Amino acid sequence: MTQMIFADSLSRLGTESAFVVLARAQALAAAGRDIINLGIGQPDFATPPHIVEAGIRALRDGHHGYTPANGLPALRQAVAADLHRRHGVEVNPDHVVVVPGGKPTMFFAVLMFGQPGAEIMYPNPGFPIYESVIRYSGATPVPIGLEEKNGFAFSAEAVLEKITPATRLIILNSPANPTGGVTPKQEIDKLVAGLEAHPHVAILSDEIYSCMLYGGRSHVSLLQYPEIRDRLIVLDGWSKTYAMTGWRLGYAVWPEAAVDHVTRLCINDHSCVNAATQFAGIAALEGPQDAVRDMVAQFDARRQAIVEALNGLPGVRCAEPAGAFYAFPNIEGTGMTSKEAQDRFLDEAGVATVAGTSFGAWGEGYLRLSYANSQENILRAVDRIAAVL
Ligand code: PLP
């Protein structure tokens, strides 16, 4: 027995069950089972070659040392130019802080505002790390319940109603993981207007899926609302858009008053992002974007195929996701809980999915299927699930 005494705070830290499912699926595959993985939240495409080349070139050119903690100036300028191109907004490159992936921004933003007595609102079902790090910080997590009948968009009224003097931060995510929900502009307009009465509340808008919208929709960024820019953090990055999850590269635009705080957190935590990866990030933003368009077009075709196939299953109803690369069917009619469905589909059908409850209590009755897999595999997976049902 160990004599070590770990900090109490560790018991409050959650996890991302998609990684647990992935490990189980990989173990089953290693044991010879034919597993179709619809559990994982990363594009099944390779990083476009010109981006890979830029990373290799940076290493050959000798970029082996530290960079500024907030990121290479050329990369932060490329981010500002990209945000202008995509959202039509002016961003000061000095307010951009480059970090290793999307998650560090989340962690730092929550550490910056979270403490015992503080309340932080977050989407539920939502990316599980939000609730995990809120609890870790000692703050009280206040769920923003997302419902199928609203296309899993948040309701401005419901968010505004829950604001108290203790609210420090509201986390929003559109397009959303795990639901694929996209919040319409009029709801965001309403929220921003309502926030005027609560100037003490900061906003973290997780826009990591901002390039993945379907059906002719275009992304509405919270950056497009100048009235909240002095308390707005917008998280985005390369992981999903450029199929770069393993490179570990992300960024956020921070309000001026928070830039020094987050930079100090970076210096204490990781010094800077891997230099070669940052050069790859510049190539991604400044190079041709056709690989992104092709990937999104393929996701769209798969999205339509998976929704149609899921709606053909007994006891299953699947709303059409408007963004990201997840379907979030309602499985209540099967008589199984989310966890039972996840386990049975993996054990009996060899199909990895993630229980809706892995994304919070509001996810009961749902299952997340990632369509970051070939159309052929997706249809085979749904056939196998049909056999179990
Ligand atoms: N935000 C959301 C909503 C996500 O779904 C993910 C990854 O799944 C992330 C952030 C984190 O991305 P990264 O892998 O870049 O840390």
Side-chain angles (χ1 to χ4, degrees), residues 132-155:
S132 165
V133 295
I134 294 168
R135 287 190 191 282
Y136 185 70
S137 76
T140 305
V142 178
I144 301 170
L146 302 179
E147 296 180 86
E148 186 183 351
K149 67 173 166 37
N150 298 330
F152 297 108
F154 65 79
S155 139

Side-chain angles (χ1 to χ4, degrees), residues 304-322:
Q304 295 175 38
I306 197 170
V307 168
E308 192 186 327
L310 288 169
N311 277 319
L313 294 175
V316 176
R317 174 179 79 219
C318 186
E320 198 165 275

Side-chain angles (χ1 to χ4, degrees), residues 101-103 106 127 130 173 177 206 208-209 239-240 248:
K103 277 175 177 168
M106 237 172 254
F127 190 53
Y130 305 141
N173 174 219
N177 179 7
D206 181 344
I208 197 113
Y209 296 103
S239 294
K240 317 287 174 175
R248 307 314 299 145

Side-chain angles (χ1 to χ4, degrees), residues 84-163:
H84 186 263
R85 186 164 55 237
R86 292 196 292 131
H87 308 323
V89 295
E90 295 294 335
V91 167
N92 180 343
D94 289 341
H95 295 181
V96 174
V97 177
V98 176
V99 285
K103 277 175 177 168
T105 292
M106 237 172 254
F107 204 12
F108 294 162
V110 170
L111 287 181
M112 211 178 279
F113 294 100
Q115 62 183 17
E119 293 176 5
I120 299 184
M121 293 169 65
Y122 71 102
N124 189 333
F127 190 53
I129 300 307
Y130 305 141
E131 186 178 342
S132 165
V133 295
I134 294 168
R135 287 190 191 282
Y136 185 70
S137 76
T140 305
V142 178
I144 301 170
L146 302 179
E147 296 180 86
E148 186 183 351
K149 67 173 166 37
N150 298 330
F152 297 108
F154 65 79
S155 139
E157 210 178 302
V159 175
L160 292 167
E161 254 170 27
K162 289 192 175 164
I163 296 179

Side-chain angles (χ1 to χ4, degrees), residues 16 19 41-42 100-104 106 126-130 172-178 206-209 235-240 244-246 248-250 324-326 359 368:
E16 193 181 346
F19 281 96
Q42 69 179 342
K103 277 175 177 168
M106 237 172 254
F127 190 53
I129 300 307
Y130 305 141
L172 302 171
N173 174 219
S174 174
N177 179 7
D206 181 344
E207 304 186 7
I208 197 113
Y209 296 103
L235 179 165
D236 204 332
W238 289 257
S239 294
K240 317 287 174 175
M244 291 178 71
T245 52
R248 307 314 299 145
L249 187 62
F325 42 72
Y326 309 105
F359 305 95
R368 190 191 79 173

